[in-house]
């Protein structure tokens, strides 16, 4: 093979290597963005259910805060999180934050309804809402395992901290819910 042919083969090989590396980096960035976006969507869906939880509690004259139930949820969810390989401290912080954010949203609705009047109907807490919340929590735990392996970029932080439009009235709840993921407690 002549020198020109060898040079061409090397140039093509180098071009392929460069393209493969660029594709791999681009794919990695897109994958990390998808992980962050999926996590954000799950958190959003879970928090949106708190309106119905509040409605049920309002109609049935139950308080927003139920410390006994919260302790049960915390214990069970952290135990489940560890089966996914999540750090217990990280999982505890995330679960506590979700509970606090949920109470924040429920309390806001109670305040609104005290002035404007509350809802007449709500899905049943035990048979409808808790199974849906548990399902979202299970998805959240699975996503957190993947998320905890990702090194957050500034773009990821901005994506997570940006309040979803559906929760624009619950900015504080969003900040509470996302704080553990941004504080590096994993």
């Amino acid at each position: 093979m002549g020198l020109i042919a060898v040079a061409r083969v090397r140039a093509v090989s180098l071009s392929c290597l460069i393209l493969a590396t660029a594709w791999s980096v681009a794919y990695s960035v897109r994958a990390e963005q998808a992980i962050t976006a999926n996590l954000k969507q799950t958190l959003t869906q879970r928090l949106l259910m708190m309106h119905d939880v509040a409605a049920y509690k309002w109609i049935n004259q139950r308080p927003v805060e139920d410390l006994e139930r919260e302790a049960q949820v915390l214990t069970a969810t952290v135990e489940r999180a560890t089966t996914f390989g999540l750090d217990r401290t990280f999982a505890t912080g995330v679960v506590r934050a979700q509970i606090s954010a949920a109470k924040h949203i429920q309390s806001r609705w109670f305040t609104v309804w005290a002035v404007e009047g509350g809802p007449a109907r709500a899905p049943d807490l035990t048979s409808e809402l808790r199974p849906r919340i548990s399902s979202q929590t299970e998805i959240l735990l699975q996503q957190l395992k993947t998320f905890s392996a990702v090194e957050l970029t500034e773009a990821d932080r901005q994506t997570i901290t940006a309040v979803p439009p559906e929760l624009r009235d619950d900015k504080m709840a969003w900040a509470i819910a996302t704080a553990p993921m941004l504080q590096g407690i994993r």
Side-chain angles (χ1 to χ4, degrees), residues 16-17 29 31 41 92 107 119 157 164 173 186:
C16 289
L17 179 62
V29 167
Q41 182 62 29
T92 300
S107 295
R157 290 181 184 281
R186 45 179 171 278

Side-chain angles (χ1 to χ4, degrees), residues 53-54 56-58 60-67 70 103 106-107 110 125 130:
V53 172
Y56 178 88
K57 289 178 178 181
W58 176 269
N60 292 283
Q61 300 178 355
R62 292 173 70 176
V64 166
E65 188 169 70
D66 181 349
L67 296 177
E70 291 171 28
K103 290 191 300 187
Q106 292 172 44
S107 295
F110 269 45
L125 183 61
R130 283 186 182 153

